[in-house]
Amino acid sequence: MGVTAVFILPLLLLGISGLLFIYQEVSRLWSKSAVQNKVVVLTDAISGLGKECARVFHTGGARLVLCGKNWERLQTLYDALISVADPRKTFTPKLVLLDLSDISCVPDVAKEILDCYGCVDILINNASMKVKGPAHKISLELDKKIMDANYFGPITLTKALLPDMISRRTGQIVLVNNIQGKLGIPFRSAYAASKHAALGFFDCLRAEVEEFDVVVSTVSPTFVRSYHIDPGQGNWEASIWKFFFRKLSYGVHPVDVAEEVMRTVRRKKQEVFMANPVPKAAVYVRTFFPEFFFAVVACGVKEKLSIPEEG
């Protein structure tokens, strides 16, 4: 019996490894076929996440329309994609200047986007602007700028491109949002407000366009961190709020988010929440035990304000 087990266990592990490899390969090929020849628009292709999404969708054979506020950085991304791609299996990306915080230019840019290929199959709203500070110290002008960039800009572009999707009865709109679309974090009032507003809009839109076979998806990571920066180590046992917020601030790597966006498009998932267990628990606590959540948040703010900051 013992000798049999010695032979069976390695064979079992080998079989499981083989099945996992086959699943990954099939999933990879399926992902590529899902976007092959599809017109995909990235609203911010020059951010860390935007570059990774561009790489993933370009490799998959999508017809990319890459948008961004800086033409030189768009050109750099274009050159990087072209240099490593197989021209027989990929399309040359189109470049479009777009600043979603300038609402007045969005309708004209939407027309330019449609002129690239005549239609849009997948719109990925990943552009975002951040601000940090106490609510009473953030000017109303900055509040409006954040709302333009994170809410009015994306919905203006979406409304401009949506009639084409409805008329063709096909299309997918992906909003890359944030955990702060579900709960507010201190000193992020303007940012959290814009993310709440965006999530509310696209949740409503999802139900409205379902009859036209247009899919609306939201992907919400805690936040997208830099390529080479890992969360620092610290004494998380000093207090409940430090443990809570240090864990809450753990971000997701741009590569992981880009791959999740691809899976969301392939599977036509409606909502994805990318976070470790602590942020997920925070959303649950905020929903079912709001008084406890508010107490933890308030405790954290008081402790932060009692510590003098350098500089």
Side-chain angles (χ1 to χ4, degrees), residues 13-197:
L13 293 174
L14 183 62
I16 293 174
S17 300
L19 290 174
L20 288 173
F21 175 78
I22 293 173
Y23 172 78
Q24 290 174 350
E25 287 300 303
V26 171
S27 179
R28 182 177 61 83
L29 293 173
W30 187 15
S31 294
K32 288 185 176 182
S33 64
V35 299
Q36 194 168 21
N37 299 321
K38 298 289 186 181
V39 179
V40 179
V41 178
L42 275 168
T43 60
D44 182 11
I46 58 179
S47 64
L49 172 59
K51 292 175 183 177
E52 292 302 330
C53 284
R55 177 185 58 81
V56 169
F57 282 89
H58 186 63
T59 303
R63 293 183 286 177
L64 284 178
V65 180
L66 304 177
C67 304
K69 294 187 288 186
N70 186 296
W71 185 257
E72 291 182 358
R73 293 176 66 184
L74 281 173
Q75 285 279 12
T76 300
L77 175 60
Y78 174 92
D79 294 338
L81 292 173
I82 295 300
S83 65
V84 297
D86 184 346
R88 297 169 299 177
K89 299 179 181 179
T90 59
F91 293 90
T92 302
K94 307 284 188 179
L95 305 182
V96 175
L97 274 174
L98 171 62
D99 181 0
L100 285 178
S101 64
D102 184 3
I103 305 299
S104 61
C105 78
V106 174
D108 290 335
V109 174
K111 185 178 183 302
E112 184 180 352
I113 289 172
L114 284 171
D115 289 342
C116 287
Y117 290 105
C119 67
V120 171
D121 296 303
I122 301 165
L123 169 62
I124 301 176
N125 284 302
N126 71 306
S128 184
M129 181 180 291
K130 298 178 182 179
V131 65
K132 177 182 179 181
H136 68 281
K137 292 186 177 180
I138 301 295
S139 67
L140 188 57
E141 288 73 21
L142 185 53
D143 282 329
K144 291 178 179 178
K145 188 173 182 179
I146 294 296
M147 286 299 294
D148 283 346
N150 296 351
Y151 175 68
F152 286 110
I155 73 166
T156 302
L157 181 61
T158 297
K159 286 184 175 185
L161 299 178
L162 189 58
D164 171 70
M165 294 183 179
I166 290 176
S167 65
R168 295 188 300 119
R169 302 189 69 86
T170 183
Q172 185 168 4
I173 300 166
V174 181
L175 171 69
V176 181
N177 208 44
N178 187 276
I179 187 177
Q180 292 181 59
K182 292 180 174 289
L183 55 84
I185 306 298
F187 308 108
R188 303 290 198 283
S189 57
Y191 181 72
S194 67
K195 293 301 182 179
H196 271 74

